[in-house]
Amino acid sequence: MQYQGKIYRPWPEANSLLIQTTLGCTHNKCTFCDMFREKRFRIRDIEDIFKDIDEAGSTMHRVESIFLIDGNVLALKTPFLVKILEKITATFPECAKISLYAGLNDLRRKGISNKWFIPQRL
Ligand code: SF4
């Protein structure tokens, strides 16, 4: 796995596999936050992301939860993000949850597709 710079894991993701998809944060200006100050935002090459997923797939027995890092992964264009989601679900069919940090404006720009909508289990 190729993690670059400081990595932050929110506590609800304690058991999640972390896949670095972006570096840094698109905003990176909140005065109270220095999580990604050292990094300039960029999207990792999809080949490098896939390499990390393949490596995890060959070394980890069972992955039920994945957290895509760094900041604001939802800034990715939808087709790019879908390729990553499809790669994850093909590699880890047992994975029940994929989560990520998202900026509100990027969330609002996304459409809704039934393909990726899985109702929460109560
Ligand atoms: S990670 Fe979140 S809190 Fe930190 S600078 Fe980016 S938008 Fe602000």
Side-chain angles (χ1 to χ4, degrees):
M1 304 293 288
Q2 297 290 321
Y3 296 119
Q4 296 179 36
K6 287 186 204 159
I7 299 300
Y8 292 89
R9 178 195 298 271
W11 65 263
E13 305 295 338
N15 297 318
S16 298
L17 169 65
L18 303 181
I19 301 287
Q20 196 165 33
T21 308
T22 59
L23 298 179
C25 164
T26 49
H27 184 59
N28 214 12
K29 289 184 188 143
C30 298
T31 54
F32 56 85
C33 170
D34 68 350
M35 289 204 300
F36 302 116
R37 283 278 191 262
E38 70 190 43
K39 298 178 189 177
R40 185 181 197 143
F41 182 83
R42 81 173 172 85
I43 299 164
R44 288 186 75 209
D45 291 340
I46 199 150
E47 294 80 17
D48 292 336
I49 298 168
F50 281 9
K51 212 182 292 180
D52 283 353
I53 295 169
D54 285 335
E55 185 182 332
S58 66
T59 55
M60 301 178 78
H61 173 60
R62 188 172 170 78
V63 174
E64 296 183 354
S65 176
I66 290 180
F67 187 62
L68 303 177
I69 55 175
D70 284 334
N72 198 10
V73 173
L74 210 60
L76 299 178
K77 291 216 173 354
T78 300
F80 189 94
L81 190 53
V82 167
K83 280 185 196 165
I84 296 168
L85 298 178
E86 287 176 342
K87 174 75 173 169
I88 287 172
T89 52
T91 308
F92 305 107
E94 72 281 8
C95 183
K97 178 174 75 78
I98 303 169
S99 45
L100 43 78
Y101 283 131
L104 181 59
N105 287 333
D106 292 294
L107 180 62
R108 287 168 53 187
R109 277 192 279 272
K110 299 292 182 202
I112 295 175
S113 161
N114 286 338
K115 181 174 179 193
W116 290 101
F117 178 73
I118 303 167
Q120 296 223 328
R121 291 181 208 124
L122 299 175

